[in-house]
Amino acid sequence: MKIVPFTASAMDSYAEFWWSIYADLPYVVRADAYQASMLPAPGPTPGYFISNLQGGLGGDHQKHWAGEVTDDTVVVAEADGAVAGILIASVDSEKRAGNILSAFVRRDGRGRQAATATLQEILERFGRMGLSRAVATPDWTRGIEVENPVHLALLDAGFAWERDWSPAYPLVEYSVCLGGVLGEFRVQPEIHASIERLRKEETIEIEKVDHERFARLRRLDTGQPPEPFVGHETFVALYEGLVAGWLPECDVGKDEFGRMFGESVPEVIHGFRNRGIGKALYHLGMEEVVRQGGEYGFTGTTAHNPARLIYRSIGFRYWYTSFCLLSKRLPGRES
Ligand SMILES: CC(C)(COP(=O)(O)OP(=O)(O)OC[C@H]1O[C@@H](n2cnc3c(N)ncnc32)[C@H](O)[C@@H]1OP(=O)(O)O)[C@@H](O)C(=O)NCCC(=O)NCCS
């Protein structure tokens, strides 16, 4: 295993290696650590990796990349003359931090060696650049897969949680990411039965509402209107006319391949949880986004959140568990 310089002329072999990791999976993680669904086709191809990385190197994604990406922040490991690992980082000069965004290695013993070698190399480079801290990854929306051997390499290298590192998102934990094709998703009879039971036995009414009606509603816990939701219409669960549960998001959008994705998020007030309200709202919401053209979806939630059971119940399957915000102070530098 040896570290070799990143060269733009070898892009095809990097992309081929990346594709050899993801071709059989339902998702890909791109160089800037954002994920994309492989289905429905046509979706990402090896060229997707190249255009994404070129975008970072060209400096046109500052927000996404959380810093500057250069040839020096892309580390390539080689074994027996072939690419064995690629680690992509960025430098946030203001925070004097090096951000490890994504790392591509195989999920086997050799992958573990490549993870260790590329990680050690980037830490040395960060040190030479005068940075005080390394962070993997700085943004909770783009985590690295726990299943990626780089997770163990980071733990071995002394990375740990630092709750205060990102005050905007102080309590981010390990998350699960799930997704799948929505097809002709419809609310099934058992959910309709559950809605009927909520109505008859618990006097909880589920209603479809637009923004105007939603803005006039009040939350059961605070007496205040809920924050405006994302989408055209949403669903609410009302108890004595007050909001006990709702979908803060119920929307569709178009991805970079022209495919429509559907998104929905359930929220239920404490004391009304674990009665089937969240699941009923979410199923109704996803049926609605399918009606609006949603073809597929993916979503994430913290590892122990029961929301993952709801997401799985519409047919989404687990993609991976992710982590973020593991950090390490670099030796000999003040924080
Ligand atoms: C996530 C949330 C919406 C779930 O709503 P809910 O009305 O309590 O969920 P439901 O009653 O429909 O339960 C859905 C499933 O989770 C299970 N479940 C719910 N709470 C659970 C708990 N505390 N422990 C174990 N299982 C639980 C239910 O048994 C049910 O499983 P089943 O369909 O196999 O029977 C609610 O906990 C919440 O509002 N949390 C805060 C906001 C949030 O995190 N939203 C998701 C953001 S990603």
Side-chain angles (χ1 to χ4, degrees):
M1 188 74 53
K2 62 174 183 181
I3 300 297
V4 295
F6 166 82
T7 48
S9 58
M11 271 291 195
D12 283 346
S13 57
Y14 304 148
E16 201 180 305
F17 175 72
W18 173 81
W19 191 245
S20 75
I21 295 169
Y22 290 109
D24 293 339
L25 295 179
Y27 68 95
V28 297
V29 171
R30 14 187 254 205
D32 63 2
Y34 195 72
Q35 68 281 80
S37 179
M38 294 280 267
L39 292 170
T45 60
Y48 184 54
F49 176 83
I50 298 177
S51 61
N52 184 249
L53 185 51
Q54 278 172 342
L57 291 164
D60 64 353
H61 286 311
Q62 278 306 303
K63 186 160 170 268
H64 240 209
W65 297 82
E68 201 183 340
V69 185
T70 62
D71 288 7
D72 211 24
T73 66
V74 183
V75 181
V76 179
E78 220 178 73
D80 304 329
V83 179
I86 309 167
L87 184 149
I88 294 151
S90 69
V91 171
D92 182 338
S93 316
E94 211 171 293
K95 289 192 179 147
R96 294 182 57 218
N99 297 311
I100 294 161
L101 300 172
S102 56
F104 307 109
V105 296
R106 285 195 220 290
R107 294 173 184 184
D108 58 14
R110 180 171 277 195
R112 180 68 193 277
Q113 283 173 22
T116 303
T118 51
L119 180 59
Q120 196 184 335
E121 176 69 18
I122 197 67
L123 292 177
E124 282 167 16
R125 291 188 194 175
F126 285 165
R128 287 200 296 274
M129 290 172 195
L131 302 177
S132 60
R133 196 167 284 273
V135 186
T137 65
D139 179 345
W140 68 275
T141 65
R142 277 174 282 278
I144 297 179
E145 303 142 291
V146 166
E147 294 82 356
N148 181 334
V150 79
H151 180 235
L152 294 177
L154 285 160
L155 296 181
D156 261 351
F159 279 71
W161 275 112
E162 193 195 345
R163 185 177 289 202
D164 298 336
W165 172 249
S166 179
Y169 304 107
L171 270 176
V172 176
E173 302 164 343
Y174 284 83
S175 298
V176 286
C177 188
L178 308 90
V181 174
L182 292 168
E184 295 298 310
F185 177 77
R186 291 285 176 272
V187 175
Q188 294 302 300
E190 65 268 22
I191 300 293
H192 284 300
S194 163
I195 293 169
E196 191 53 18
R197 190 195 57 76
L198 285 167
R199 193 177 65 78
K200 278 198 177 135
E201 294 175 19
E202 311 209 28
T203 64
I204 291 166
E205 299 279 350
I206 296 191
E207 232 187 78
K208 187 177 183 178
V209 295
D210 60 14
H211 283 281
E212 203 184 313
R213 163 105 173 104
F214 191 75
R216 288 201 308 271
L217 293 168
R218 296 287 175 270
R219 284 174 61 142
L220 185 67
D221 53 350
T222 61
Q224 297 299 310
E227 292 279 308
F229 66 88
V230 178
H232 299 299
E233 286 177 306
T234 192
F235 290 86
V236 291
L238 300 175
Y239 180 72
E240 296 183 346
L242 296 169
V243 178
W246 71 106
L247 299 173
E249 190 167 344
C250 182
D251 205 10
V252 291
K254 198 178 262 188
D255 72 14
E256 59 219 287
F257 307 101
R259 307 173 304 180
M260 296 287 283
F261 58 88
E263 278 178 335
S264 191
V265 180
E267 179 129 6
V268 175
I269 280 168
H270 266 292
F272 281 76
R273 291 181 185 168
N274 214 352
R275 303 183 192 189
I277 298 174
K279 189 171 177 178
L281 289 169
Y282 187 71
H283 280 238
L284 288 164
M286 292 313 277
E287 183 180 82
E288 178 58 31
V289 299
V290 167
R291 216 174 268 138
Q292 291 175 23
E295 299 171 82
Y296 77 96
F298 63 86
T299 184
T301 187
T302 46
H304 304 295
N305 192 325
R308 74 188 163 81
L309 302 172
I310 297 178
Y311 301 147
R312 199 178 178 284
S313 74
I314 67 149
F316 283 173
R317 289 294 172 263
Y318 291 107
W319 282 358
Y320 60 89
T321 302
S322 73
F323 65 91
C324 63
L325 289 165
L326 287 182
S327 76
K328 176 186 167 73
R329 188 183 298 191
L330 294 168
R333 307 279 163 187
E334 286 179 18
S335 62

